[in-house]
Amino acid sequence: MGNKPTIAIAHLGCEKNRIDTEHMLGLLVQAGYGVDSNEELADYVIVNTCSFIQESRQESVQTLVELAEADKKIVITGCMAQHYQEDLLDALPEAVAVVGTGDYHKIVEVMEQVQGGDRPIAVSANPTYIADDQTPRYRTTTEGVAYLRIAEGCDYKCAFCIIPHLRGKQRSRPIESIVAEAQKLADEGVQELVLISQITTNYGADLYGKPQLAQLLRALGQVDVPWIRMHYTYPTGFSPEVIAAIRETPNILPYLDLPLQHSHPDILRAMNRPWQGQVNDQIIENLKQAIPNGVFRTTFIVGFPGETQTHFDHLCDFVDRHQFDHVGVFAFSPEEEAPASGFDNPVPEPVKEERRNHLMERQQPISLSRNQAEIGKTVDVLVEGSFPDTQNLIGRCARFAPEVDGVVYVRPQGNSEPLGKLISVKITDADAYDLYGDQV
């Protein structure tokens, strides 16, 4: 490796950030840099930041401050770098470079400039870059799972969101490139691919003139990987063609991640959601009838400006009615560049938190009931870890997505080490979040 320094990466934020991290690591390794998981031993630490909401910014700032106090040389990348740019260099003398969301592929060039004594800022005003199947990648997930980005950026202008500002307009990868990367990952032994983008059901609209998700799913059906899961699928994007592709392609999991954000038409219109008032009971019921074995996950924002108790009650009733398998709830966070930050009638912080907690508590018995329905079934579980003291295993079944849903605790049969593999497990118990079972 010559005299090239060693680099550690502190990864923050979502799985989109994770893929950026993996590509930066891949490019650095290809260029001969040493990668160290120990930040204390590394010469430089790349902090891939998140800036989506206030809470994530605070985590990013805390990480940067702690590394600065430890006198580490820091390269700031990701959404906060895109957001604040040279302000970060001014605020942190320990920061040696800033790299935006559309420029992470320049990381090797940036590191060369840093070693030459510069403090470069590589931040494109309108990000256009997206990695392809030829871009080096160093995976950081567990053995059996990998994220697969099919598109980047977003063309919508939701009032609460700054993703278009941070990530640019939607740009989809060609089907051939996605399938080629999927095949590489399958050849590495990956058992589960998680398709991600900002709006997965809009995949291909920019590239092909109309969404092509159905065509992509059928093409991925030819790849020898047991599970393919989709994230960020909008309910209005489930055309008959997409539903047919899910039903007819065996390795496409019937897992529907629907970021609904609210149920009341008034709030959806204020949010400027793409479908505004169209997210009604009929859309959800139609999806449940079309995909009867579907697992339904959603996220909601409570405390949006102007949300009254009547609006919130509507949301609670909506959750009760539709019995989602998994629900995430966020308190509204005002973002400077987002229109909603200046909206009238802000909801007080204590009310936001109270509503968030109430909705999560309301969902718990529903999640418990959905999980208890699995008791007695024999399901495939992707093993992702073990407990050395008991030899018990931990993994996920098809109804649980990595990092956001529950897990399955498994009593193994024999002394096998099936890490990264699918095993059969009979479910014997359940709680509101997790399942328990015996390997069969």
Side-chain angles (χ1 to χ4, degrees):
M1 300 219 177
N3 296 320
K4 291 193 175 176
T6 57
I7 297 171
I9 290 194
H11 165 81
L12 304 167
C14 66
E15 57 266 46
K16 303 175 196 71
N17 251 22
R18 180 178 292 280
I19 289 183
D20 296 348
T21 292
E22 293 181 349
H23 283 306
M24 283 191 286
L25 283 170
L27 288 162
L28 289 164
V29 169
Q30 183 186 64
Y33 286 84
V35 173
D36 200 314
S37 59
N38 189 332
E39 294 166 5
E40 292 181 12
L41 299 178
D43 298 306
Y44 294 90
V45 180
I46 295 173
V47 182
N48 198 6
T49 59
C50 181
S51 191
F52 182 52
I53 57 175
Q54 181 64 29
E55 187 177 324
S56 55
R57 278 198 299 278
Q58 288 171 347
E59 182 186 12
S60 295
V61 168
Q62 182 180 348
T63 301
L64 291 169
V65 169
E66 288 173 356
L67 288 167
E69 289 175 347
D71 204 26
K72 300 304 297 184
K73 296 174 183 175
I74 307 165
V75 178
I76 306 173
T77 68
C79 289
M80 186 170 272
Q82 187 74 29
H83 206 168
Y84 297 107
Q85 304 182 25
E86 63 270 7
D87 292 348
L88 294 169
L89 292 182
D90 294 340
L92 280 174
E94 296 80 5
V96 296
V98 174
V99 180
T101 58
D103 298 87
Y104 60 87
H105 59 298
K106 300 174 184 173
I107 190 65
V108 172
E109 177 187 336
V110 165
M111 291 308 305
E112 290 171 352
Q113 291 175 324
V114 166
Q115 290 165 76
D118 294 335
R119 291 181 89 201
I121 297 175
V123 180
S124 298
N126 299 298
T128 59
Y129 177 75
I130 184 167
D132 61 22
D133 57 289
Q134 298 301 310
T135 309
R137 183 174 174 186
Y138 184 103
R139 282 200 293 122
T140 61
T141 47
T142 55
E143 291 176 54
V145 64
Y147 294 103
L148 181 56
R149 176 155 43 207
I150 65 173
E152 174 63 289
C154 182
D155 294 337
Y156 291 155
K157 292 180 171 58
C158 298
F160 55 82
C161 184
I162 58 172
I163 289 295
H165 175 71
L166 298 176
R167 295 260 172 189
K169 292 179 181 280
Q170 176 170 307
R171 47 204 185 273
S172 302
R173 294 174 55 188
I175 289 176
E176 296 78 12
S177 173
I178 297 168
V179 172
E181 185 175 7
Q183 189 58 60
K184 280 184 186 178
L185 293 165
D187 292 343
E188 293 172 9
V190 168
Q191 302 292 299
E192 176 182 14
L193 295 173
V194 184
L195 307 185
I196 61 169
S197 67
Q198 304 301 337
I199 305 174
T200 298
T201 33
N202 259 21
Y203 165 75
D206 55 308
L207 193 61
Y208 300 109
K210 61 180 181 178
Q212 295 287 298
L213 180 60
Q215 289 78 358
L216 174 63
L217 295 180
R218 291 189 185 277
L220 288 170
Q222 304 303 309
V223 178
D224 187 18
V225 62
W227 290 354
I228 298 178
R229 185 188 307 274
M230 292 182 287
H231 278 188
Y232 311 106
T233 53
Y234 281 33
T236 49
F238 281 94
S239 65
E241 292 79 14
V242 170
I243 289 171
I246 294 170
R247 291 169 58 117
E248 296 167 11
T249 311
N251 59 350
I252 304 298
L253 296 179
Y255 179 96
L256 280 67
D257 174 38
L258 311 170
L260 299 178
Q261 310 306 5
H262 214 280
S263 63
H264 199 285
D266 291 350
I267 299 300
L268 288 166
R269 277 192 289 271
M271 287 179 169
N272 198 31
R273 294 297 276 162
W275 51 81
Q276 297 191 355
Q278 295 177 43
V279 176
N280 54 33
D281 296 304
Q282 198 57 54
I283 283 182
I284 306 301
E285 288 308 314
N286 288 347
L287 283 174
K288 286 186 172 182
Q289 289 174 21
I291 308 174
N293 61 336
V295 175
F296 288 78
R297 173 181 176 80
T298 190
T299 50
F300 296 115
I301 296 173
V302 296
F304 190 80
E307 183 189 58
T308 64
Q309 186 63 43
T310 299
H311 294 140
F312 180 65
D313 290 343
H314 186 281
L315 179 58
C316 291
D317 292 344
F318 185 82
V319 167
D320 288 345
R321 240 184 348 267
H322 292 298
Q323 302 283 298
F324 296 100
D325 295 89
H326 313 292
V327 171
V329 185
F330 299 89
F332 171 73
S333 172
E335 306 304 316
E336 284 180 23
E337 287 86 357
S341 64
F343 282 7
D344 294 335
N345 302 315
V347 177
E349 289 297 327
V351 176
K352 289 185 199 175
E353 287 304 313
E354 182 184 336
R355 288 178 181 175
R356 179 189 178 277
N357 294 338
H358 178 83
L359 192 56
M360 290 295 288
E361 288 170 8
R362 197 137 173 175
Q363 172 62 26
Q364 279 199 334
I366 300 172
S367 293
L368 174 62
S369 174
R370 302 294 289 172
N371 279 348
Q372 286 177 332
E374 299 299 300
I375 294 174
K377 294 181 182 178
T378 298
V379 301
D380 288 336
V381 170
L382 177 57
V383 179
E384 297 188 296
S386 61
F387 298 94
D389 51 339
T390 64
Q391 302 304 309
N392 286 350
L393 306 172
I394 185 170
R396 289 177 297 103
C397 58
R399 61 182 281 105
F400 294 153
E403 301 184 51
V404 294
D405 298 330
V407 296
V408 184
Y409 295 98
V410 182
R411 281 183 297 218
Q413 187 179 73
N415 296 315
S416 62
E417 282 290 337
L419 285 178
K421 305 296 183 187
L422 288 167
I423 61 172
S424 292
V425 174
K426 184 170 183 179
I427 302 302
T428 58
D429 201 1
D431 59 33
Y433 297 104
D434 305 315
L435 296 175
Y436 305 81
D438 299 320
Q439 185 179 359
V440 296

